Amino acid sequence: MLLRTFLREVNGISKKSLADIKFKGGKILVNQKEVTVRTTIFSGDRVEVYVPPEPKNESLRPECISLDIHYEDDHLLVINKPHGMPTIPSREHPSRTLANAVMGYYESHHIPFTFHAVNRLDRDTSGLLVVAKHGLAHDQLSKGQRAGKLKRYYLALAEGYVQPREGTIHAPIKRRPSSIIERMVAADGQEAITHYKVINTNQAYSEVEINLETGRTHQIRVHFAHLGHPLLGDDLYGGSIELLARQALHCQRVELIHPFTGKYLHFSAPLPKDLIEVKDKLIK
């Protein structure tokens, strides 16, 4: 088999990723000898792919900020993000973001890559997210996420008595024309699918476990507001801020198939203190 065929069709490495490896400082070895992708390989050959170092993003300033890292290897990080921290910089929040913190971590540990978020969390959503260390890992993890090999499970506190107690919200989402931030359910929006199960409830509030099939901006918040059950603390979508000043949403579990080893990995992060305190008050 041609090495190019093995890398692209068997291992799913994109044409762009192969070009980056070839022209930006990476290399490919077969049996410890550097080769081109036109080489023919045989059963028993050892193929090694070395990804190139990545240039620093000059607009992303490294900052020394503590990170709660739940997993790390040569290809990815799984990080428990606190609420109040944006994932990436914006005009309103140019610093103190997860991206700044990761770049500071890379700089202090001499890791020659830039920031690649596989999934993002809103600024006031807490919990686990996956960061790829290099472009090839990002490409593979993103493909895996679309194929259902990377799953995210959230816990939310929604207002009201959510019924039915288990179901799927299949409602397309788009940006509200009058806002650069707010999203809405609309027939001409992007497909958005949210699976949920109520695990505890009373007449006023429901504790809900959620599994995302798609990952649209504000998807969970928009979908539950659309049902008439906005998340507690989510004033953007009609939730009360009397007991909580941020949306009651936490990514508590991540499961994935490692794109290079094929191993099943799973991680969990307990509810932060503010959500535990509110939950204990509301749902007995």
Side-chain angles (χ1 to χ4, degrees), residues 101-115:
V102 168
M103 291 308 298
Y105 179 78
Y106 285 176
E107 186 172 85
S108 65
H109 289 77
H110 309 290
I111 297 172
F113 299 123
T114 192
F115 182 76

Side-chain angles (χ1 to χ4, degrees), residues 1 6 53 55 76 125 132 154 198 212 216 244 257 282:
M1 181 185 290
F6 174 72
L76 61 97
T125 298
Y154 293 75
V198 177
L212 286 182
R216 307 303 174 202
L244 190 67
I257 303 297
L282 298 178

Side-chain angles (χ1 to χ4, degrees), residues 17-28 34 49-54:
S17 294
L18 285 179
D20 288 344
I21 291 165
K22 180 178 180 181
F23 297 113
K24 295 183 178 180
K27 60 184 179 180
I28 303 172
E34 190 165 359
V49 177
Y50 291 83
V51 296
E54 297 175 338

